[in-house]
């Protein structure tokens, strides 16, 4: 690990007493207190102790980031505590070990605190029988049609049925049929028959999202998750309930019945919809992206992400993506276009070039552009994007890499103040060449008429816009899902993302062709891979000093911003 | 459809709320008061109670759907309640219930309260009416009937018409 500077205020870990318990005969030392769903210290539970002892305890309703409900009963375990004699002293066995008084009843692991010397039994015949019993009762009214269920492959009920289920149902009575394909809200569809009433969705939306919209209506075997009739389940976090639903009850309208989950390739990535940089998994198959799901990172998003960010990937597959290298409107090749551009840039007098880069680009790309900027003595800036923020995850800054643009020197802390200067420079005729990356400058004060005054307009983008159509050179770029790189989020966390799908047509990752261009113009070299490039950048940019690509890990490193 | 609660009933309800340390605890009492007045609890009534107690409508809706004695739609003019707890179940209450349903053109196997199309009769199963010695027992509105045979059932229906 790198010794990276960090701005995270880490409170000195409070001295937490450790206590010894035995899980299935093996002694483990566990902290007496463990952070609960809100991060407050609470007595460690048997389930958490089993987790530390690497003993799997099946559960449905328990979720580490939700209040404990204890209703599914799947985590029932047997346990015992040291026996006390009439003198309140521990009773000893003849061999000197403390005598354990086994509890006559089992207890749910998720809600029972541990005590010193406790013994937990997770694999006794009794526990196995209880799990079988709980599972059988959950399956009473549950349809037995996994092959047509959208959750198949990532269903806890299916997984535990393999472990503890029976091969055939003993239930001969008529099943209660509950409503299917219930439209809960604009993004959520409920199959009430598959619901096991764990209430994870209710707790999430009430206690985490702060929208008390879901409840259980009717009673007994007719129990159903529902909203109040006429009030749709519609906040910006509804799709998280699909993630935490352990069964196929809550499904995403966007993803349901689109693809079997076992065909999906999962790629670790970062959401680009705002500066929070929620960690995501991109699920794709055969170069098509099917869904984003949040990836656990307690330093950024926990296990959650917003609906808007989650569904913001459709544009990647738009038919009008820029796929060809264009030189003055004619199809060309990368080699030809890049060497022509390099020649022009080398001849350009100092001060005659300006650069508008996007804060949607990666740290590495922005750093490469900053190399060009230094060499050419260019004015540079980026474009600010703001919107509404919320209390949970969404940031008001809609650029994923504002801090990257600042740290690499592409823009000042106040983004966009150079744009009028660039516009004025073009108007005066002082600026003859403009390089634009990923922005439509005609919407940001540099009109199409001004662009017409330029000798050379070099534009790299992903989708066509007014700037790309005015460009002399169009260099087709990649969506983040099509390349590797890193972003610096609003709190200064540098997070890397990996490539999920191949670029479209002739498009190349910006860092890849920028490397060629920077080499041609400045003669700098030595970063042919993203790893090498990142490490080179980390040496050059003070804020990134000490970072390495490998050292970023899956969840990133926080730097001082 | 606008939903208005008469001033005297609202005053009564406001007083009811003061009986409880937490407003939410008064939910059931408010629902009883509204059902007594309106005959059933409409979605508007549920929303009214939620607003009164500072809750979300779903919180009150859960209660309304949980308790079978809260009516979500207007019940029939005559409410027939057949006991199905153990003694009556052994004494033939399911046959009695089926008899009422067939007689009144209702589905004996449907779940919950059923009302005839003309709104005259409602038939439902209830739990113990405390007449176990004379099973099967039933109630028609506020009247209690013991040892109800099919013939007696017909008489009861006849008495209502």
């Amino acid at each position: 690990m790198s010794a990276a500077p960090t701005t995270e205020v880490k409170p000195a870990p409070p001295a937490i007493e450790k206590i010894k318990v035995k899980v299935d005969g093996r002694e483990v030392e566990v902290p007496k207190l463990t952070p609960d769903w809100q991060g407050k210290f609470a007595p460690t539970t048997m389930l958490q102790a089993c987790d530390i002892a690497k003993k799997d305890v099946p559960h449905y309703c328990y979720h580490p980031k939700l209040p404990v409900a204890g209703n599914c009963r799947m985590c029932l375990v047997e346990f015992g505590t040291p026996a006390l004699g009439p003198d309140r002293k521990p009773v000893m066995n003849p061999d000197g070990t403390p005598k354990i008084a086994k509890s006559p009843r089992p207890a749910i692991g998720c809600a029972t605190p541990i005590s010193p010397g406790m013994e937990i039994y997770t694999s006794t015949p009794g526990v196995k029988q209880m799990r079988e019993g709980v599972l059988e009762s959950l399956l009473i009214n549950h349809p037995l049609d996994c092959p047509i269920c959208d959750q198949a492959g990532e269903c806890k009920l299916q997984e535990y049925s393999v472990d503890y289920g029976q091969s055939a149902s003993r239930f001969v009575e008529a099943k209660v049929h509950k409503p299917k394909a219930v439209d809960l809200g604009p993004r959520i569809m409920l199959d009430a028959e598959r619901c096991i009433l764990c209430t994870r969705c209710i707790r999430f939306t009430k206690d985490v999202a702060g929208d008390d919209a879901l409840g259980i209506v009717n009673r007994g075997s007719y129990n159903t998750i529902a909203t109040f009739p006429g009030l749709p389940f519609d906040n910006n976090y509804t799709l998280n309930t699909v993630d935490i639903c352990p069964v196929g009850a809550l499904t995403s309208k966007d993803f349901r019945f689109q693809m079997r989950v076992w065909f999906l390739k999962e790629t670790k990535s970062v959401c680009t919809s705002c500066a929070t940089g929620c960690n995501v998994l991109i699920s794709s198959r055969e170069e098509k992206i099917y869904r984003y799901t949040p990836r656990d990172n307690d330093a950024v998003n926990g296990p959650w992400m917003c609906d808007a960010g989650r569904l913001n990937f459709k544009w990647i597959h738009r038919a009008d993506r820029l796929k060809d290298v264009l030189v003055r409107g004619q199809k060309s090749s990368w080699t030809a276009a890049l060497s022509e551009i390099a020649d022009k840039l080398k001849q350009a007098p100092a001060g005659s070039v300006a650069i508008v880069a996007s804060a949607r680009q990666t740290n590495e790309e922005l750093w490469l552009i900053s190399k060009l900027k230094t060499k050419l003595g260019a004015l540079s800036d980026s474009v600010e994007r703001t919107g509404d923020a919320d209390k949970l995850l969404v940031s008001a800054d809609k650029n994923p890499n504002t801090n990257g643009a600042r740290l690499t020197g592409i823009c000042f802390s106040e983004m966009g103040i150079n744009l009028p200067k660039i516009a004025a420079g073009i108007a005066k005729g002082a600026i003859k060449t403009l390089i634009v990356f990923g922005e439509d400058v005609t919407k940001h004060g540099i009109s199409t008429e001004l662009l017409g005054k330029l000798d050379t307009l070099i534009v790299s983008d992903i989708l066509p816009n007014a700037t790309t159509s005015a460009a002399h050179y169009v260099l087709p770029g990649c969506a983040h899902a099509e390349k590797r790189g890193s972003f610096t989020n609003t709190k200064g966390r540098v997070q890397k993302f990996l490539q999920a799908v191949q670029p479209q047509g002739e498009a190349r990752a910006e860092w890849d062709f920028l490397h060629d261009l920077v080499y041609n113009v400045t003669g700098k070299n030595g970063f042919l891979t993203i790893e090498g490039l990142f490490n080179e950048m980390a040496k050059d940019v003070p804020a990134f000093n000490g970072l390495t690509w490998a050292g970023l890990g899956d969840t990133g490193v926080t730097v001082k911003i | 459809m606008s939903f208005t609660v008469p001033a005297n009933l609202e005053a009564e309800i406001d007083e009811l709320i003061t009986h409880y340390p937490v407003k939410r605890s008064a939910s059931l009492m408010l629902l009883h008061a509204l059902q007594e007045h309106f005959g059933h609890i409409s979605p508007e009534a549920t929303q009214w109670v939620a607003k009164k107690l500072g809750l979300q409508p779903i919180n009150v809706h859960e209660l309304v759907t949980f308790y079978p004695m809260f009516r979500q739609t207007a019940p029939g003019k005559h409410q027939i309640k057949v006991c199905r707890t153990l003694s009556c179940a052994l004494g033939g209450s399911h046959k009695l219930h089926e008899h009422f349903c067939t007689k009144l053109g209702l589905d004996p196997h449907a779940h919950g309260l059923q009302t005839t199309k003309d709104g005259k009769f409602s038939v439902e199963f209830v739990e113990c009416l405390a007449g176990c010695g004379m099973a099967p027992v039933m109630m028609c509105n506020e009247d209690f009937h013991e040892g109800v045979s099919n013939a007696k059932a017909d008489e009861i229906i006849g008495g209502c018409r």
Side-chain angles (χ1 to χ4, degrees):
Chain A
M1 276 301 290
S2 59
T6 173
T7 52
E8 270 172 306
V9 190
K10 281 204 179 125
I16 289 176
E17 201 187 319
K18 294 253 185 177
I19 56 182
K20 283 180 180 165
V21 297
K22 268 186 182 175
V23 179
D24 288 344
R26 196 165 72 83
E27 192 168 74
V28 284
E29 236 189 1
V30 293
K32 197 176 176 192
L33 302 174
T34 306
D36 68 358
W37 67 284
Q38 287 171 307
K40 291 181 195 146
F41 282 95
T44 304
T45 62
M46 294 201 293
L47 195 142
Q48 286 160 339
C50 291
D51 199 40
I52 292 169
K54 301 271 186 288
K55 277 279 173 185
D56 252 355
V57 176
H59 55 269
Y60 292 109
C61 69
Y62 170 77
H63 188 286
K65 292 294 156 72
L66 293 175
V68 172
N71 59 32
C72 77
R73 318 312 287 180
M74 195 65 191
C75 65
L76 279 171
V77 289
E78 294 182 316
F79 68 100
T81 44
L84 293 182
D87 54 354
R88 309 296 298 158
K89 296 242 171 71
V91 184
M92 293 298 173
N93 287 323
D95 63 356
T97 53
K99 193 177 165 69
I100 299 295
K102 211 176 149 190
S103 162
R105 281 178 278 286
I108 47 171
C110 67
T112 313
I114 50 164
S115 58
M118 189 185 229
E119 292 196 356
I120 305 167
Y121 315 106
T122 71
S123 45
T124 58
V127 170
K128 186 163 180 280
Q129 223 170 19
M130 287 183 288
R131 289 174 186 169
E132 285 169 0
V134 169
L135 203 63
E136 191 172 17
S137 89
L138 285 176
L139 287 172
I140 282 181
N141 287 314
H142 191 97
L144 301 174
D145 57 358
C146 300
I148 60 157
C149 175
D150 204 40
Q151 187 83 359
E154 52 180 11
C155 174
K156 287 278 177 217
L157 200 54
Q158 202 180 26
E159 286 163 23
Y160 295 151
S161 286
V162 172
D163 298 340
Y164 305 104
Q166 319 221 337
S167 54
S169 171
R170 291 191 293 161
F171 192 71
V172 292
E173 293 82 0
K175 288 198 177 210
V176 171
H177 289 294
K178 296 194 216 173
K180 297 186 87 78
V182 183
D183 193 335
L184 273 196
R187 292 171 294 285
I188 305 288
M189 194 77 100
L190 166 72
D191 184 335
E193 273 192 346
R194 303 197 191 279
C195 175
I196 58 164
L197 303 164
C198 69
T199 69
R200 276 183 175 186
C201 53
I202 299 179
R203 285 174 281 147
F204 168 80
T205 197
K206 176 170 179 273
D207 297 317
V208 180
D211 171 28
D212 193 359
L214 297 178
I216 294 183
V217 298
N218 301 326
R219 76 162 160 186
S221 22
Y222 295 88
N223 268 180
T224 306
I225 299 288
T227 58
F228 185 71
L231 287 185
F233 180 39
D234 184 13
N235 60 59
N236 197 17
Y237 291 92
T238 59
L239 284 167
N240 291 295
T241 61
V242 176
D243 298 333
I244 57 175
C245 181
V247 296
L250 292 170
T251 51
S252 153
K253 282 188 187 172
D254 185 65
F255 177 71
R256 73 198 304 256
F257 305 126
Q258 296 304 304
M259 183 51 65
R260 297 313 285 191
V261 293
W262 51 83
F263 290 132
L264 293 171
K265 177 179 82 174
E266 290 184 335
T267 309
K268 287 168 186 160
S269 188
V270 173
C271 175
T272 56
S273 292
C274 76
T276 304
C278 291
N279 292 205
V280 301
L281 278 180
I282 299 183
S283 293
S284 62
R285 185 191 184 197
E286 293 181 346
E287 311 308 328
K288 182 166 187 256
I289 296 172
Y290 285 89
R291 67 172 177 187
Y292 282 9
T293 39
R295 179 163 59 92
D296 247 354
N297 185 349
D298 281 348
V300 182
N301 55 310
W304 322 119
M305 76 182 290
C306 76
D307 288 4
R310 184 192 298 247
L311 296 174
N312 186 18
F313 63 86
K314 302 292 159 79
W315 59 273
I316 294 173
H317 297 305
R318 255 168 65 174
D320 59 347
R321 282 280 302 270
L322 296 175
K323 291 175 188 165
D324 296 306
V325 182
L326 299 177
V327 175
R328 284 171 292 274
Q330 298 300 307
K331 267 194 199 180
S332 178
S333 71
W334 280 102
T335 333
L338 287 180
S339 63
E340 229 179 276
I341 294 171
D343 288 344
K344 290 218 168 174
L345 290 182
K346 272 193 270 191
Q347 285 157 17
S352 73
V353 182
I355 300 173
V356 179
S358 175
R360 287 168 161 177
Q361 287 184 272
T362 69
N363 293 324
E364 299 78 18
E365 289 160 8
L366 291 166
W367 178 70
L368 283 171
I369 294 171
S370 79
K371 294 289 114 188
L372 273 185
K373 169 188 160 144
T374 319
K375 175 75 184 171
L376 303 169
L379 260 182
S380 75
D381 208 347
S382 190
V383 172
E384 198 177 40
R385 261 184 201 86
T386 50
D388 292 331
D390 72 10
K391 285 182 192 159
L392 197 51
L393 291 175
V394 180
S395 163
D397 178 2
K398 301 296 170 197
N399 278 325
N401 201 17
T402 302
N403 280 322
R406 283 181 191 146
L407 294 176
T408 51
I410 292 297
C411 66
F412 296 102
S413 21
E414 199 185 328
M415 198 180 266
I417 49 169
N418 263 352
L419 287 175
K421 282 188 206 159
I422 295 174
I426 300 171
K428 273 193 297 186
I431 291 172
K432 292 283 180 198
T433 305
L434 182 64
I435 305 174
V436 181
F437 269 86
E439 295 289 355
D440 182 3
V441 290
T442 59
K443 287 188 183 143
H444 305 288
I446 305 177
S447 65
T448 321
E449 293 81 65
L450 278 182
L451 291 181
K453 295 181 105 183
L454 290 164
D455 286 348
T456 314
L457 175 57
I458 303 156
V459 181
S460 169
D461 214 322
I462 299 171
L463 293 165
N465 57 41
T467 308
T468 58
S469 43
H472 303 114
Y473 298 92
V474 175
L475 306 174
C478 286
H480 72 292
E482 296 162 343
K483 64 188 176 191
R484 294 193 289 167
S486 66
F487 290 134
T488 310
N489 87 350
T490 180
K491 289 182 182 154
R493 197 163 187 93
V494 182
Q495 309 190 95
K496 71 178 176 196
F497 55 87
L498 305 178
Q499 181 180 3
V501 293
Q502 290 298 320
Q504 304 206 357
E506 291 286 300
R508 272 169 77 183
E510 287 86 337
W511 68 266
D512 182 37
F513 68 75
L514 267 169
H515 161 261
D516 292 359
L517 191 63
V518 171
Y519 174 60
N520 287 349
V521 175
T522 68
K524 267 184 92 71
N525 203 350
F527 28 77
L528 275 168
T529 60
I530 192 80
E531 292 85 353
L533 175 57
F534 183 88
N535 297 345
E536 195 79 15
M537 172 187 75
K539 279 182 216 148
D540 189 52
V541 178
F544 296 153
N545 282 174
L547 296 185
T548 59
W549 178 261
L552 290 182
D554 288 338
T555 52
V557 173
T558 304
V559 300
K560 196 168 170 54
I561 47 169
Chain B
M1 193 182 80
S2 65
F3 177 82
T4 39
V5 175
N8 57 344
L9 179 59
E10 186 159 2
E12 199 184 301
I13 282 172
D14 287 335
E15 197 274 329
L16 271 176
I17 297 172
T18 62
H19 295 200
Y20 298 89
V22 180
K23 268 181 161 187
R24 185 170 186 162
S25 307
S27 307
L28 283 181
M29 296 308 287
L30 260 62
L31 290 171
H32 278 303
L34 290 182
Q35 175 155 304
E36 204 164 291
H37 181 82
F38 293 101
H40 73 286
I41 296 164
S42 62
E44 292 78 14
T46 305
Q47 278 170 311
W48 188 87
V49 170
K51 199 168 169 204
K52 194 88 197 166
L53 300 176
L55 301 171
Q56 289 299 314
I58 183 69
N59 305 139
V60 182
H61 188 59
E62 286 179 321
L63 292 176
V64 175
T65 56
F66 181 83
Y67 292 104
M69 284 170 87
F70 286 132
R71 310 274 186 234
Q72 293 173 70
T73 49
K77 191 173 164 214
H78 304 288
Q79 298 182 36
I80 293 167
K81 296 165 185 166
V82 181
C83 172
R84 68 167 162 202
T85 308
L86 188 59
S87 308
C88 291
L90 293 171
S93 61
H94 283 260
K95 279 195 177 137
L96 178 64
H97 177 261
E98 193 169 342
H99 178 75
F100 273 118
C101 289
T102 330
K103 190 93 186 170
L104 297 168
L106 300 168
D107 175 8
H109 302 296
H111 176 70
L113 178 89
Q114 295 189 78
T115 307
T116 53
K117 278 189 188 136
D118 59 7
K120 272 204 175 143
F121 290 95
S122 287
V123 181
E124 71 183 318
F125 270 132
V126 294
E127 302 310 327
C128 191
L129 295 176
C132 305
M134 299 295 286
V137 301
M138 57 161 285
M139 286 180 80
C140 179
N141 296 332
E142 299 303 311
D143 302 325
F144 182 64
H145 302 276
E146 295 178 321
V148 187
S149 61
N150 285 0
K152 198 169 170 188
D154 293 344
E155 259 177 56
I156 293 169
I157 295 176
C160 295
R161 288 201 196 267

